[in-house]
Amino acid sequence: MSVGHPERAAAFVADEPRAHWHDQALWFVREKRDRAAALVPDWEKLRDVAAGIRAHARGRLADLLEEFERNAVARGAKVHWAADADEHNVIVHGILADHGVHRLVKSKSMLTEECGLNHFLEARGIEVVDTDLGERIVQLRREPPSHIVFPAIHLKREEIGELFHDKLGTPQGLADPTKLTEAARAHLRERFMKAEAGLTGVNFAIAETGGVVVCTNEGNADMGTSLPPLHIACMGVEKVVPKLEHLAVMLRLLARSATGQPITSYTSHFHGPMAGGELHIVIVDNGRSRLLADPALRGALACIRCGACMNTCPVYRRSGGYSYGWVVPGPIGSVLASARDPVAHASLPFASTLCGSCDAVCPVKIDLHGQLLGLRRDLAARGIVPLGKRIGLRILAFFLAHRALYEAAGRLMRVALRSFPRGILYARWNTWGRRRELPAPPEESFRDTWRRTRGTGHGHG
Ligand code: SF4
């Protein structure tokens, strides 16, 4: 049996306290995002404008990328084009090899995760140090990130304490976040000082100026690009915005949607290399043109990787990032992975309740649940939906199409709910009832409460 989202999710929810805690941690971020959004007048208008900018940029992508290249080169950057992950990795390795680099520091870049750059470089004798704290934690554990903004969100501070004790020599049992951060800072500072090159992702590339913009909360991109003389910036083709004024719209949305902050702590603009240094920009396709050619899914290219759809998704929160089996998890990850290989990721379009919460928070208004529904339809048309699910849906469709049967089934369910021992029916509910959304079912039935408080024969029940 192939392992899909349900099987991987089952492994995650088997650790119930962790699943509960993961759910709560992400919901906390979602609520922070809501408060930050509510403080911006015309937030919804801002989302409309952002969606329009992304659609416009998608429509003129080739022109904008060429304009960006011209302007970046005019400012002294070297621009490389990579058709796929392999080419990207070869280009980056080539630049490093040309400069005799053996030690690279790297700020967060989901693109390089997508391309498997770390392994590629390490296999060729280059030390790669991820300098975002969360990324460094998962790197030390030899794990991929489980969230695009909070890579180590699945880990508790005690586990990080153990890891740091093991790898960085912190005292055993130390789990204080401030002290652990101090230890990580000292460890990373040493790596920064020794680095021979810095690699960053790109949040946005501005066509009219040829500049790239990198947003971090830890200042690690700035450290990594200020100390060594060689800076490599890797970007997907979709990162380009036409003008500087469009960047302002994106930045207002990005930080608030990602973490509920009004602005990311460090928003660094790189326009050309630093004095005496080199800036290489690698523009990567890796399946994005194919996505652009798909009218049903091309909207997904608007994604600015804020992670808000993950934080709000009831399935992601309760199944964890690794259950998706793809570098980008959550609703947008399900769309991107399926667009790339619908058969290999056939379970992902079903990893959604289709509640639409992802659409409601997406700063660039991607129709995520509509896309997931369309992907389900495609899978069904190709006969790829698992047999059990097919049979279940057929039965459901039959009942829904026959009103008398549907009502009879409803009556039967009500009788079952009244007749079965409550312990059996509510055993599972009681566990989940401790969670945020569902209050625990009362010990006493509503009918009994009514009778006890109002007296027999005076109510409707
Ligand atoms: S799909 Fe929207 S909400 Fe999800 S990460 Fe991308 S921009 Fe953010």
Side-chain angles (χ1 to χ4, degrees):
M1 187 185 71
S2 72
V3 176
H5 181 268
E7 293 76 25
R8 290 187 292 254
F12 183 81
V13 295
D15 184 349
E16 192 150 324
R18 185 187 300 273
H20 177 51
W21 166 82
H22 189 262
D23 171 31
Q24 298 287 312
L26 287 160
W27 188 255
F28 174 78
V29 183
R30 155 75 210 262
E31 288 186 319
K32 237 178 121 198
R33 170 258 171 222
D34 290 350
R35 286 194 294 274
L39 288 174
V40 177
D42 295 332
W43 173 259
E44 289 306 315
K45 233 184 230 164
L46 203 61
R47 289 176 72 212
D48 282 334
V49 173
I53 293 169
R54 297 304 265 167
H56 172 78
R58 248 187 347 261
R60 293 191 51 227
L61 196 55
D63 293 343
L64 291 174
L65 286 169
E66 282 175 9
E67 182 185 346
F68 169 75
E69 181 184 30
R70 273 195 308 279
N71 290 325
V73 169
R75 289 176 179 270
K78 295 189 175 140
V79 176
H80 311 256
W81 297 79
D84 55 24
D86 286 345
E87 208 175 328
H88 163 264
N89 294 346
V90 168
I91 289 171
V92 173
H93 177 250
I95 300 167
L96 297 175
D98 285 350
H99 291 77
V101 171
H102 294 100
R103 281 192 291 265
L104 175 72
V105 284
K106 192 168 148 272
S107 74
K108 186 134 64 63
S109 153
M110 290 314 296
L111 174 68
T112 59
E113 293 288 339
E114 177 187 318
C115 295
L117 180 69
N118 283 19
H119 293 146
F120 186 89
L121 295 180
E122 282 163 0
R124 284 152 185 81
I126 295 175
E127 181 196 70
V128 183
V129 175
D130 278 309
T131 57
D132 172 271
L133 178 55
E135 285 273 341
R136 185 62 179 149
I137 290 167
V138 290
Q139 188 186 31
L140 287 171
R141 286 171 61 98
R142 310 302 293 172
E143 285 175 354
S146 73
H147 186 289
I148 61 174
V149 175
F150 311 109
I153 188 75
H154 57 293
L155 296 173
K156 297 188 173 181
R157 63 168 99 149
E158 291 76 17
E159 290 167 304
I160 296 167
E162 268 172 46
L163 176 76
F164 280 15
H165 170 65
D166 192 27
K167 305 280 184 188
L168 310 185
T170 53
Q172 188 147 31
L174 181 72
D176 176 56
T178 310
K179 295 249 170 6
L180 292 174
T181 307
E182 276 167 14
R185 192 178 292 156
H187 157 74
L188 286 171
R189 187 164 292 268
E190 189 208 325
R191 297 298 201 278
F192 278 125
M193 299 306 285
K194 288 186 181 156
E196 295 153 330
L199 187 146
T200 65
V202 170
N203 288 92
F204 300 101
I206 310 151
E208 77 167 345
T209 67
V212 294
V213 177
V214 182
C215 305
T216 72
N217 271 325
E218 298 165 19
N220 53 315
D222 305 76
M223 285 284 278
T225 53
S226 308
L227 297 174
L230 175 61
H231 173 192
I232 304 172
C234 301
M235 58 175 268
V237 292
E238 81 283 10
K239 295 290 181 185
V240 71
V241 293
K243 294 179 184 299
L244 202 54
E245 69 200 55
H246 300 135
L247 176 72
V249 176
M250 296 301 167
L251 291 179
R252 291 190 80 192
L253 288 164
L254 176 63
R256 289 179 172 89
S257 302
T259 57
Q261 294 166 261
I263 188 81
T264 315
S265 305
Y266 299 86
T267 301
S268 308
H269 296 237
F270 298 95
H271 283 88
M274 66 163 145
E278 279 185 33
L279 169 62
H280 291 255
I281 301 169
V282 188
I283 303 175
V284 186
D285 185 321
N286 202 32
R288 287 160 176 78
S289 305
R290 252 199 343 266
L291 191 57
L292 186 63
D294 183 339
L297 298 180
R298 67 168 62 120
L301 274 178
C303 177
I304 56 172
R305 302 288 192 269
C306 70
C309 57
M310 287 152 222
N311 305 340
T312 199
C313 176
V315 176
Y316 173 86
R317 284 189 276 116
R318 294 182 181 85
S319 61
Y322 296 150
S323 64
Y324 292 79
W326 170 246
V327 62
V328 178
I332 184 65
S334 297
V335 170
L336 294 174
S338 301
R340 197 168 283 256
D341 188 341
V343 178
H345 302 289
S347 63
L348 291 188
F350 297 95
S352 166
T353 60
L354 299 183
C355 62
S357 187
C358 45
D359 301 16
V361 297
C362 178
V364 285
K365 292 202 157 181
I366 301 174
D367 174 24
L368 288 160
H369 92 284
Q371 293 186 341
L372 290 170
L373 194 57
L375 285 162
R376 288 184 189 188
R377 208 178 297 124
D378 293 346
L379 288 172
R382 295 173 62 178
I384 298 174
V385 179
L387 184 67
K389 203 180 286 282
R390 269 206 318 266
I391 294 172
L393 289 173
R394 285 256 160 82
I395 294 171
L396 181 64
F398 183 75
F399 275 92
L400 289 175
H402 297 84
R403 183 171 176 172
L405 273 177
Y406 176 74
E407 287 177 352
R411 278 197 297 277
L412 203 67
M413 282 303 292
R414 280 195 291 280
V415 170
L417 283 169
R418 277 202 295 270
S419 323
F420 272 98
R422 292 168 63 79
I424 295 176
L425 284 173
Y426 291 143
R428 190 65 197 156
W429 271 24
N430 264 323
T431 323
W432 284 92
R434 288 196 295 274
R435 311 227 159 144
R436 181 180 44 74
E437 291 94 336
L438 282 177
E443 289 303 317
E444 189 177 46
S445 74
F446 176 71
R447 182 189 295 256
D448 291 344
T449 308
W450 182 273
R451 285 193 174 134
R452 186 170 48 75
T453 55
R454 304 290 176 96
T456 320
H458 292 284
H460 303 286

